[in-house]
Amino acid sequence: MEKPFPYQLYLVISEEACLGRNFLEVAEAAVQGGVDLVQLREKNDTPQAFLNKAFELKELLDRYEVPLIINDNLEIATQCKAAGIHVGNSDMPPTTIRKSWESCRLLGYSIEYLEQLYNEQTYTSDYLGISPVFSTSTKTDTVTTWGFDGVRKIRSITQKPLVAIGNMNASNARQVVEAGADCIAVVSAICAAPKPKNAAQLLRKEIQKGLKNRANLLNL
């Protein structure tokens, strides 16, 4: 039995993605609009700069009881006492993370081809990132662009919670959820939005429509 995954809207944030705005202000507005899980992804920072941001973001998110995920850095995730970590194919394997960090509550793993659904890393993870659903300029080193059919295929194979990422926005979130995703992850759809809170509210509404439609179809 998989652990419950109560999250619907997942923000992947970096200072760069916020286009000159304070990333903490963007994160707070997003959470106020309905984001319920936040990943800090800082590929170009020094370890100390990344850690400083992680501490600041966690302090903010703790006030809203929103979990913090750290992208691909076990040391920073454990130092700032994040809720979890997200890794991909070329990062530290989930099996290694689980042995090193037994108290990790949310261990995410990105799926880029179907064969990964049958390996030990997937079995060890708490949720799977479907990466990317659609092509995106923020993630250029991926193998597969899944599309709606790919989401359906993955959903038919695994009961793991599925987080869809890759050019996700309010115009496609509902359909991706209807196809089988449990949660939508966004970067620019919130970070680059003129009003991050409003953008999050709109995304949340679309996700909830998708979940309702999917439930109705399953009950037919």
Side-chain angles (χ1 to χ4, degrees):
M1 185 73 177
E2 296 298 338
K3 287 193 275 186
F5 193 80
Y7 311 106
Q8 296 179 9
L9 183 54
Y10 185 138
L11 175 64
V12 180
I13 196 167
S14 67
E15 188 170 33
E16 182 182 10
C18 294
L19 306 180
R21 291 181 294 186
N22 183 295
F23 83 102
L24 293 171
E25 292 177 3
V26 173
E28 184 165 27
V31 168
Q32 289 171 347
V35 162
D36 51 7
L37 195 59
V38 178
Q39 179 191 137
L40 180 60
R41 183 176 187 264
E42 290 289 2
K43 291 288 190 181
N44 303 315
D45 273 359
T46 64
Q48 189 59 53
F50 193 174
L51 182 60
N52 291 344
K53 286 179 183 174
F55 275 121
E56 289 179 320
L57 184 56
K58 184 171 187 299
E59 184 182 1
L60 167 67
L61 295 177
D62 282 352
R63 297 204 296 269
Y64 291 92
E65 299 183 339
V66 169
L68 171 64
I69 306 293
I70 296 295
N71 182 76
D72 178 30
N73 194 310
L74 181 59
E75 187 174 345
I76 286 174
T78 53
Q79 280 188 281
C80 76
K81 295 182 170 59
I85 187 169
H86 189 91
V87 293
N89 278 313
S90 58
D91 303 328
M92 183 182 288
T95 48
T96 303
I97 293 169
R98 194 66 81 186
K99 289 173 186 173
S100 304
W101 186 19
E102 293 181 0
S103 61
C104 178
R105 292 193 286 120
L106 289 166
L107 176 47
Y109 182 54
S110 288
I111 296 296
E112 295 183 15
Y113 46 92
L114 284 174
E115 288 77 12
Q116 284 178 276
L117 291 169
Y118 305 99
N119 70 25
E120 192 178 1
Q121 308 311 327
T122 291
Y123 302 147
T124 303
S125 304
D126 295 313
Y127 69 91
L128 303 178
I130 308 172
S131 174
V133 178
F134 306 111
S135 59
T136 170
S137 60
T138 60
K139 191 80 172 156
T140 57
D141 58 348
T142 50
V143 178
T144 309
T145 300
W146 290 105
F148 298 121
D149 288 342
V151 177
R152 291 188 192 96
K153 181 69 175 175
I154 294 170
R155 179 78 290 163
S156 73
I157 294 170
T158 182
Q159 292 303 306
K160 289 276 184 185
L162 302 180
V163 176
I165 188 167
N167 208 8
M168 297 302 310
N169 54 60
S171 69
N172 56 32
R174 176 182 55 79
Q175 290 170 282
V176 172
V177 170
E178 288 171 355
D182 300 289
C183 178
I184 299 297
V186 300
V187 184
S188 57
I190 287 178
C191 290
K195 295 183 178 180
K197 181 178 178 179
N198 291 1
Q201 287 172 332
L202 179 57
L203 278 158
R204 186 87 183 197
K205 285 177 184 175
E206 290 301 309
I207 291 166
Q208 290 171 348
K209 285 179 190 174
L211 290 168
K212 183 178 180 180
N213 291 347
R214 195 167 91 202
N216 288 340
L217 288 171
L218 289 172
N219 290 328
L220 287 177

